[in-house]
Amino acid sequence: MMFFAGVSVIVDGKLVHATTSPTTASASGYHLLVVEGQSCTPEPIKSRCFIIGGHRWYIMFYPNDEHLNNNGYITLWLHLHKEEAPATETVKAQFKFSFVDETDKHKPACIHGRKLSEFEAGGNDEGREAMGKSEHLKDDSFTIRCDIVVVTEEVITTTGPTATASSLIVVPPSNMQRNFTDLLLTGEGTDVAFRVGGETFAAHRCVLAARSTVFRALLFGPMKEGTSAMVQIDDMNAAVFKAMLGFIYGDSLPAPAVQDEDVVMLPHLLATADRYDLLRLRMMWEKKLCEHINVSTAAVILALAEQHGCEGLKKACSEFLRCPDNLRAVLATDGFDHLCRSCPTLMKDMILGVLPPAG
Protein backbone atom coordinates (compact mmCIF):
# COMPACT_ATOMS: atom_id res chain seq x y z
CA MET A 1 0.00 0.00 0.00
CA MET A 2 1.20 3.50 -0.84
CA PHE A 3 0.98 6.27 1.76
CA PHE A 4 0.07 9.92 1.29
CA ALA A 5 3.28 11.88 1.70
CA GLY A 6 2.37 15.53 1.29
CA VAL A 7 1.49 18.36 -1.08
CA SER A 8 3.40 21.27 -2.56
CA VAL A 9 1.27 24.03 -4.15
CA ILE A 10 2.68 26.46 -6.71
CA VAL A 11 0.51 29.51 -7.48
CA ASP A 12 1.58 31.96 -10.19
CA GLY A 13 5.19 30.86 -10.00
CA LYS A 14 5.52 30.82 -6.20
CA LEU A 15 5.53 28.00 -3.69
CA VAL A 16 2.73 29.05 -1.34
CA HIS A 17 1.70 25.95 0.59
CA ALA A 18 3.03 22.57 1.70
CA THR A 19 1.71 19.85 3.99
CA THR A 20 3.28 16.64 5.22
CA SER A 21 1.52 13.55 6.52
CA PRO A 22 2.79 11.71 9.66
CA THR A 23 3.09 8.53 7.62
CA THR A 24 5.87 9.88 5.45
CA ALA A 25 8.60 7.78 7.10
CA SER A 26 7.28 4.72 5.28
CA ALA A 27 9.52 3.01 2.71
CA SER A 28 6.97 3.95 0.06
CA GLY A 29 4.78 6.97 -0.49
CA TYR A 30 3.93 9.86 -2.80
CA HIS A 31 4.06 13.62 -3.01
CA LEU A 32 1.63 15.86 -4.90
CA LEU A 33 2.87 18.92 -6.79
CA VAL A 34 -0.07 21.24 -7.53
CA VAL A 35 0.60 23.94 -10.13
CA GLU A 36 -1.94 26.78 -10.39
CA GLY A 37 -1.38 29.57 -12.90
CA GLN A 38 1.02 27.58 -15.02
CA SER A 39 1.31 30.34 -17.63
CA CYS A 40 2.68 32.65 -14.91
CA THR A 41 5.40 30.22 -13.91
CA PRO A 42 8.30 30.85 -16.31
CA GLU A 43 11.13 29.89 -13.95
CA PRO A 44 12.05 26.54 -12.32
CA ILE A 45 10.44 25.92 -8.93
CA LYS A 46 11.69 23.71 -6.09
CA SER A 47 9.09 21.88 -4.01
CA ARG A 48 9.20 21.60 -0.25
CA CYS A 49 11.18 18.68 1.15
CA PHE A 50 9.23 15.54 2.03
CA ILE A 51 10.27 12.30 3.72
CA ILE A 52 9.84 8.83 2.24
CA GLY A 53 11.76 5.76 3.34
CA GLY A 54 13.57 7.75 6.00
CA HIS A 55 15.13 10.09 3.40
CA ARG A 56 14.36 13.72 2.54
CA TRP A 57 13.44 14.38 -1.09
CA TYR A 58 12.37 17.33 -3.20
CA ILE A 59 11.11 17.87 -6.76
CA MET A 60 12.45 20.41 -9.25
CA PHE A 61 9.74 21.61 -11.65
CA TYR A 62 10.83 23.10 -14.99
CA PRO A 63 7.79 24.65 -16.77
CA ASN A 64 9.36 24.61 -20.25
CA ASP A 65 11.84 22.02 -21.41
CA GLU A 66 14.16 23.76 -23.85
CA HIS A 67 15.55 20.40 -24.97
CA LEU A 68 12.03 19.45 -26.16
CA ASN A 69 11.51 22.73 -28.08
CA ASN A 70 8.91 23.97 -25.52
CA ASN A 71 6.36 21.80 -27.26
CA GLY A 72 3.90 21.49 -24.39
CA TYR A 73 6.36 19.59 -22.21
CA ILE A 74 7.52 20.05 -18.65
CA THR A 75 10.53 18.48 -16.97
CA LEU A 76 10.51 17.04 -13.46
CA TRP A 77 13.52 16.05 -11.41
CA LEU A 78 13.47 13.99 -8.24
CA HIS A 79 16.37 14.87 -5.94
CA LEU A 80 17.75 13.37 -2.75
CA HIS A 81 18.49 16.15 -0.28
CA LYS A 82 22.21 16.89 -0.14
CA GLU A 83 22.37 16.29 3.62
CA GLU A 84 20.82 12.83 3.37
CA ALA A 85 23.80 10.76 2.18
CA PRO A 86 27.59 11.06 1.90
CA ALA A 87 28.92 11.76 -1.56
CA THR A 88 30.22 8.18 -1.81
CA GLU A 89 26.86 6.55 -0.97
CA THR A 90 23.69 6.13 -2.99
CA VAL A 91 20.04 5.48 -2.19
CA LYS A 92 18.21 3.02 -4.43
CA ALA A 93 14.58 3.74 -5.26
CA GLN A 94 11.88 3.28 -7.88
CA PHE A 95 9.89 6.39 -8.79
CA LYS A 96 7.15 7.50 -11.14
CA PHE A 97 5.70 10.89 -12.10
CA SER A 98 2.10 11.01 -13.28
CA PHE A 99 -0.73 13.50 -13.85
CA VAL A 100 -3.74 13.08 -11.55
CA ASP A 101 -7.16 14.66 -11.04
CA GLU A 102 -9.27 15.02 -7.93
CA THR A 103 -10.89 11.57 -8.28
CA ASP A 104 -7.69 9.53 -8.29
CA LYS A 105 -5.42 11.87 -6.35
CA HIS A 106 -5.16 9.53 -3.37
CA LYS A 107 -5.37 6.13 -5.05
CA PRO A 108 -2.33 3.81 -4.80
CA ALA A 109 -0.15 3.81 -7.89
CA CYS A 110 1.45 0.60 -9.14
CA ILE A 111 5.13 1.13 -9.98
CA HIS A 112 6.24 -2.54 -9.86
CA GLY A 113 8.75 -3.29 -12.56
CA ARG A 114 9.89 0.31 -12.82
CA LYS A 115 13.59 0.93 -13.26
CA LEU A 116 15.61 0.84 -10.04
CA SER A 117 17.44 4.17 -9.85
CA GLU A 118 20.41 5.20 -7.74
CA PHE A 119 20.28 8.66 -6.17
CA GLU A 120 23.23 10.60 -4.88
CA ALA A 121 22.90 13.52 -2.50
CA GLY A 122 21.90 16.59 -4.51
CA GLY A 123 20.34 14.66 -7.40
CA ASN A 124 21.50 13.14 -10.65
CA ASP A 125 20.29 12.12 -14.09
CA GLU A 126 18.40 9.13 -12.69
CA GLY A 127 15.59 11.42 -11.42
CA ARG A 128 14.62 13.15 -14.67
CA GLU A 129 11.33 12.68 -16.50
CA ALA A 130 9.75 14.79 -19.27
CA MET A 131 5.96 14.92 -19.56
CA GLY A 132 3.54 16.51 -22.00
CA LYS A 133 1.09 18.74 -20.07
CA SER A 134 -1.32 20.06 -22.73
CA GLU A 135 -4.03 17.41 -22.41
CA HIS A 136 -3.92 17.58 -18.58
CA LEU A 137 -3.96 21.40 -18.33
CA LYS A 138 -7.33 22.62 -16.96
CA ASP A 139 -7.94 26.26 -16.05
CA ASP A 140 -4.20 26.85 -16.32
CA SER A 141 -3.61 24.27 -13.59
CA PHE A 142 -2.60 20.64 -13.17
CA THR A 143 -1.39 18.24 -10.48
CA ILE A 144 1.67 16.01 -10.62
CA ARG A 145 2.05 12.99 -8.41
CA CYS A 146 5.47 11.50 -7.60
CA ASP A 147 5.37 7.93 -6.27
CA ILE A 148 8.54 6.57 -4.61
CA VAL A 149 9.56 3.16 -3.28
CA VAL A 150 12.88 3.18 -1.41
CA VAL A 151 14.73 -0.14 -1.69
CA THR A 152 16.75 -0.97 1.42
CA GLU A 153 17.55 -4.61 0.48
CA GLU A 154 16.85 -7.03 -2.34
CA VAL A 155 13.20 -6.74 -3.29
CA ILE A 156 11.05 -9.14 -5.31
CA THR A 157 9.44 -6.90 -7.96
CA THR A 158 6.66 -8.94 -9.52
CA THR A 159 3.10 -8.08 -10.52
CA GLY A 160 2.01 -8.88 -6.96
CA PRO A 161 2.92 -7.13 -3.70
CA THR A 162 6.59 -6.53 -3.14
CA ALA A 163 8.32 -8.30 -0.24
CA THR A 164 11.87 -8.94 0.82
CA ALA A 165 13.14 -12.46 0.21
CA SER A 166 14.59 -12.65 3.71
CA SER A 167 11.18 -12.22 5.33
CA LEU A 168 9.41 -14.81 3.18
CA ILE A 169 11.94 -17.60 2.62
CA VAL A 170 13.68 -19.52 5.37
CA VAL A 171 16.55 -21.65 4.03
CA PRO A 172 17.02 -24.81 6.11
CA PRO A 173 20.54 -25.81 7.18
CA SER A 174 22.41 -28.26 4.99
CA ASN A 175 21.69 -31.91 5.72
CA MET A 176 24.14 -33.35 3.21
CA GLN A 177 26.28 -34.94 5.91
CA ARG A 178 23.26 -36.68 7.40
CA ASN A 179 22.13 -37.85 3.94
CA PHE A 180 25.48 -39.46 3.15
CA THR A 181 25.82 -40.95 6.63
CA ASP A 182 22.37 -42.51 6.30
CA LEU A 183 23.42 -43.89 2.93
CA LEU A 184 26.36 -45.65 4.61
CA LEU A 185 24.30 -46.94 7.53
CA THR A 186 21.45 -48.34 5.40
CA GLY A 187 23.82 -49.90 2.86
CA GLU A 188 21.46 -49.01 0.03
CA GLY A 189 23.11 -49.04 -3.40
CA THR A 190 26.50 -50.27 -2.17
CA ASP A 191 28.71 -51.80 -4.85
CA VAL A 192 31.91 -52.73 -3.02
CA ALA A 193 32.75 -54.35 0.32
CA PHE A 194 35.91 -54.44 2.43
CA ARG A 195 36.99 -57.32 4.62
CA VAL A 196 38.93 -55.85 7.56
CA GLY A 197 39.89 -57.69 10.76
CA GLY A 198 37.21 -60.30 10.34
CA GLU A 199 34.45 -57.75 9.67
CA THR A 200 32.81 -56.72 6.39
CA PHE A 201 32.02 -53.10 5.49
CA ALA A 202 29.80 -52.24 2.49
CA ALA A 203 30.42 -48.94 0.71
CA HIS A 204 29.95 -47.00 -2.53
CA ARG A 205 32.84 -46.82 -4.98
CA CYS A 206 31.97 -43.31 -6.22
CA VAL A 207 31.81 -41.84 -2.71
CA LEU A 208 35.16 -43.34 -1.74
CA ALA A 209 36.79 -42.22 -4.99
CA ALA A 210 35.44 -38.68 -4.61
CA ARG A 211 36.93 -38.34 -1.12
CA SER A 212 40.27 -40.14 -1.47
CA THR A 213 42.75 -40.21 -4.34
CA VAL A 214 44.05 -43.54 -3.00
CA PHE A 215 40.61 -45.13 -3.15
CA ARG A 216 40.12 -43.63 -6.61
CA ALA A 217 43.26 -45.35 -7.85
CA LEU A 218 42.35 -48.56 -6.05
CA LEU A 219 38.81 -48.77 -7.41
CA PHE A 220 39.00 -46.99 -10.79
CA GLY A 221 42.70 -46.67 -11.69
CA PRO A 222 44.93 -48.93 -13.80
CA MET A 223 45.61 -51.11 -10.76
CA LYS A 224 41.94 -51.29 -9.76
CA GLU A 225 40.55 -54.34 -8.04
CA GLY A 226 38.68 -55.26 -11.23
CA THR A 227 34.98 -55.79 -10.79
CA SER A 228 35.46 -57.64 -7.53
CA ALA A 229 32.83 -56.73 -4.96
CA MET A 230 35.12 -57.67 -2.06
CA VAL A 231 38.45 -56.02 -1.17
CA GLN A 232 40.61 -57.64 1.48
CA ILE A 233 42.61 -55.37 3.84
CA ASP A 234 44.85 -57.35 6.17
CA ASP A 235 46.96 -54.76 7.99
CA MET A 236 44.28 -52.64 9.62
CA ASN A 237 42.06 -52.71 12.70
CA ALA A 238 38.32 -52.99 11.96
CA ALA A 239 37.42 -50.17 14.37
CA VAL A 240 39.93 -47.85 12.66
CA PHE A 241 38.52 -48.64 9.21
CA LYS A 242 34.97 -48.05 10.48
CA ALA A 243 35.98 -44.67 11.90
CA MET A 244 37.58 -43.73 8.58
CA LEU A 245 34.42 -44.67 6.65
CA GLY A 246 32.36 -42.55 9.04
CA PHE A 247 34.54 -39.56 8.22
CA ILE A 248 34.46 -40.18 4.46
CA TYR A 249 30.66 -40.12 4.43
CA GLY A 250 29.96 -37.65 7.25
CA ASP A 251 33.04 -35.35 7.20
CA SER A 252 33.28 -35.54 10.98
CA LEU A 253 34.69 -37.79 13.67
CA PRO A 254 32.11 -40.43 14.56
CA ALA A 255 31.73 -40.17 18.34
CA PRO A 256 31.07 -43.85 19.09
CA ALA A 257 34.09 -45.01 17.09
CA VAL A 258 36.85 -43.54 19.26
CA GLN A 259 36.68 -42.24 22.81
CA ASP A 260 39.03 -39.48 23.89
CA GLU A 261 40.67 -41.71 26.47
CA ASP A 262 41.46 -44.45 23.93
CA VAL A 263 44.93 -43.09 23.22
CA VAL A 264 46.22 -46.43 21.93
CA MET A 265 43.87 -46.19 18.92
CA LEU A 266 44.81 -42.64 17.91
CA PRO A 267 48.21 -43.42 16.31
CA HIS A 268 46.54 -46.05 14.10
CA LEU A 269 43.86 -43.60 13.06
CA LEU A 270 46.49 -41.02 12.14
CA ALA A 271 48.44 -43.57 10.10
CA THR A 272 45.26 -44.66 8.28
CA ALA A 273 44.31 -41.09 7.37
CA ASP A 274 47.81 -40.56 6.01
CA ARG A 275 47.69 -43.84 4.09
CA TYR A 276 44.44 -42.95 2.27
CA ASP A 277 45.34 -39.29 1.67
CA LEU A 278 42.62 -37.83 3.89
CA LEU A 279 44.31 -34.58 4.90
CA ARG A 280 41.43 -33.13 6.92
CA LEU A 281 41.01 -36.38 8.87
CA ARG A 282 44.75 -36.56 9.49
CA MET A 283 44.75 -33.03 10.91
CA MET A 284 41.77 -33.86 13.12
CA TRP A 285 43.53 -36.92 14.58
CA GLU A 286 46.72 -34.88 14.92
CA LYS A 287 44.85 -32.29 16.96
CA LYS A 288 43.39 -35.01 19.18
CA LEU A 289 46.85 -36.44 19.80
CA CYS A 290 48.03 -33.01 20.94
CA GLU A 291 45.47 -33.24 23.73
CA HIS A 292 47.01 -36.51 24.97
CA ILE A 293 50.68 -35.55 25.20
CA ASN A 294 52.01 -36.53 28.63
CA VAL A 295 55.02 -38.27 30.18
CA SER A 296 53.96 -41.75 29.09
CA THR A 297 52.97 -40.82 25.51
CA ALA A 298 55.23 -37.92 24.49
CA ALA A 299 58.06 -40.02 23.03
CA VAL A 300 55.73 -42.34 21.08
CA ILE A 301 53.67 -39.46 19.70
CA LEU A 302 56.83 -37.57 18.72
CA ALA A 303 58.10 -40.60 16.79
CA LEU A 304 54.70 -40.91 15.08
CA ALA A 305 54.72 -37.21 14.16
CA GLU A 306 58.20 -37.56 12.64
CA GLN A 307 57.16 -40.63 10.65
CA HIS A 308 54.06 -38.95 9.11
CA GLY A 309 55.43 -35.42 8.75
CA CYS A 310 53.07 -33.85 11.29
CA GLU A 311 54.88 -30.59 11.98
CA GLY A 312 52.27 -29.18 14.32
CA LEU A 313 52.28 -32.33 16.42
CA LYS A 314 56.09 -32.31 16.54
CA LYS A 315 56.10 -28.74 17.84
CA ALA A 316 53.54 -29.63 20.51
CA CYS A 317 55.71 -32.53 21.70
CA SER A 318 58.84 -30.38 21.65
CA GLU A 319 57.14 -27.74 23.77
CA PHE A 320 56.19 -30.40 26.31
CA LEU A 321 59.73 -31.82 26.42
CA ARG A 322 61.29 -28.37 26.67
CA CYS A 323 60.43 -28.48 30.35
CA PRO A 324 63.38 -30.21 32.14
CA ASP A 325 61.10 -32.03 34.59
CA ASN A 326 59.03 -33.49 31.75
CA LEU A 327 62.15 -34.51 29.83
CA ARG A 328 63.65 -36.30 32.83
CA ALA A 329 60.41 -38.21 33.38
CA VAL A 330 60.21 -39.21 29.71
CA LEU A 331 63.81 -40.54 29.76
CA ALA A 332 62.67 -43.36 32.04
CA THR A 333 59.94 -44.63 29.68
CA ASP A 334 60.16 -47.40 27.07
CA GLY A 335 58.95 -44.91 24.50
CA PHE A 336 62.12 -42.91 24.85
CA ASP A 337 64.26 -45.94 23.96
CA HIS A 338 62.08 -46.50 20.89
CA LEU A 339 62.46 -42.85 19.93
CA CYS A 340 66.26 -43.07 20.21
CA ARG A 341 66.37 -46.11 17.93
CA SER A 342 63.88 -44.94 15.32
CA CYS A 343 64.62 -41.20 15.16
CA PRO A 344 68.24 -40.49 16.23
CA THR A 345 68.41 -37.19 14.34
CA LEU A 346 65.21 -36.02 15.94
CA MET A 347 66.58 -36.86 19.37
CA LYS A 348 69.69 -34.81 18.69
CA ASP A 349 67.61 -31.80 17.63
CA MET A 350 65.39 -32.17 20.66
CA ILE A 351 68.34 -32.30 23.11
CA LEU A 352 69.95 -29.26 21.48
CA GLY A 353 66.63 -27.46 21.79
CA VAL A 354 66.43 -27.89 25.54
CA LEU A 355 70.09 -27.18 26.31
CA PRO A 356 70.85 -23.64 27.53
CA PRO A 357 72.73 -21.45 25.05
CA ALA A 358 76.55 -21.55 25.29
CA GLY A 359 77.96 -18.83 27.54
Side-chain angles (χ1 to χ4, degrees):
M1 178 179 293
M2 307 299 290
F3 297 90
F4 174 63
V7 178
S8 294
V9 181
I10 299 173
V11 178
D12 295 339
K14 296 181 180 180
L15 183 68
V16 297
H17 176 67
T19 62
T20 302
S21 161
T23 60
T24 55
S26 170
S28 61
Y30 66 84
H31 189 82
L32 298 177
L33 182 66
V34 181
V35 179
E36 298 180 358
Q38 189 274 336
S39 59
C40 299
T41 309
E43 299 298 327
I45 297 292
K46 175 182 176 181
S47 76
R48 294 290 178 89
C49 288
F50 53 94
I51 301 174
I52 294 179
H55 300 283
R56 298 173 67 200
W57 308 84
Y58 63 89
I59 299 169
M60 286 299 301
F61 166 65
Y62 294 84
N64 294 294
D65 192 334
E66 60 183 15
H67 299 291
L68 296 174
N69 300 319
N70 297 327
N71 189 23
Y73 277 83
I74 60 173
T75 301
L76 299 159
W77 289 82
L78 176 63
H79 291 275
L80 180 67
H81 196 277
K82 64 181 179 180
E83 298 177 358
E84 284 302 304
T88 57
E89 295 184 8
T90 60
V91 175
K92 295 182 179 180
Q94 294 171 301
F95 75 96
K96 177 183 179 181
F97 289 108
S98 58
F99 287 101
V100 296
D101 56 33
E102 292 299 328
T103 61
D104 62 1
K105 188 176 294 183
H106 306 305
K107 292 180 181 179
C110 179
I111 61 174
H112 302 312
R114 298 282 294 186
K115 175 185 175 183
L116 185 63
S117 302
E118 294 187 355
F119 291 84
E120 297 177 357
N124 56 13
D125 289 343
E126 292 282 6
R128 180 180 183 274
E129 191 165 320
M131 303 174 67
K133 66 178 185 300
S134 56
E135 62 186 67
H136 300 280
L137 187 63
K138 297 178 181 179
D139 298 327
D140 204 28
S141 302
F142 56 84
T143 300
I144 296 291
R145 171 170 162 164
C146 177
D147 288 272
I148 303 173
V149 175
V150 177
V151 180
T152 56
E153 54 184 292
E154 185 178 358
V155 173
I156 303 172
T157 54
T158 64
T159 56
T162 61
T164 59
S166 61
S167 65
L168 296 179
I169 302 172
V170 178
V171 180
S174 173
N175 60 353
M176 183 181 293
Q177 292 182 355
R178 173 61 63 85
N179 295 153
F180 276 85
T181 299
D182 290 345
L183 191 64
L184 174 65
L185 294 176
T186 61
E188 184 177 355
T190 57
D191 55 1
V192 65
F194 296 86
R195 189 70 177 170
V196 185
E199 296 186 34
T200 301
F201 301 91
H204 304 78
R205 292 173 183 264
C206 288
V207 175
L208 299 179
R211 298 281 281 159
S212 165
T213 57
V214 175
F215 274 121
R216 186 183 307 161
L218 176 68
L219 300 172
F220 293 104
M223 303 300 292
K224 65 182 179 181
E225 295 286 336
T227 58
S228 173
M230 180 67 71
V231 178
Q232 181 71 34
I233 299 179
D234 297 320
D235 54 348
M236 189 176 297
N237 182 286
V240 172
F241 189 83
K242 182 178 180 180
M244 180 184 67
L245 277 184
F247 169 81
I248 288 176
Y249 280 79
D251 200 41
S252 61
L253 298 180
V258 178
Q259 301 298 326
D260 286 347
E261 62 269 16
D262 193 0
V263 184
V264 176
M265 186 72 74
L266 289 173
H268 300 287
L269 292 166
L270 179 63
T272 300
D274 191 35
R275 170 177 173 176
Y276 286 97
D277 192 26
L278 298 167
L279 178 60
R280 174 172 159 80
L281 180 60
R282 194 186 82 166
M283 299 300 291
M284 292 169 77
W285 293 137
E286 187 177 343
K287 186 173 182 178
K288 270 190 170 292
L289 279 168
C290 285
E291 300 170 1
H292 294 283
I293 297 173
N294 53 46
V295 170
S296 62
T297 63
V300 175
I301 292 176
L302 183 56
L304 184 71
E306 175 69 12
Q307 179 183 352
H308 295 285
C310 303
E311 295 301 321
L313 190 56
K314 285 171 60 176
K315 290 180 180 179
C317 290
S318 298
E319 286 299 319
F320 177 81
L321 295 172
R322 198 177 297 277
C323 173
D325 291 340
N326 292 341
L327 181 58
R328 277 193 294 268
V330 170
L331 291 176
T333 65
D334 294 336
F336 183 78
D337 294 335
H338 170 71
L339 184 63
C340 291
R341 292 192 302 269
S342 59
C343 307
T345 303
L346 180 62
M347 279 302 307
K348 179 181 177 181
D349 293 340
M350 184 184 68
I351 292 173
L352 290 176
V354 297
L355 288 176

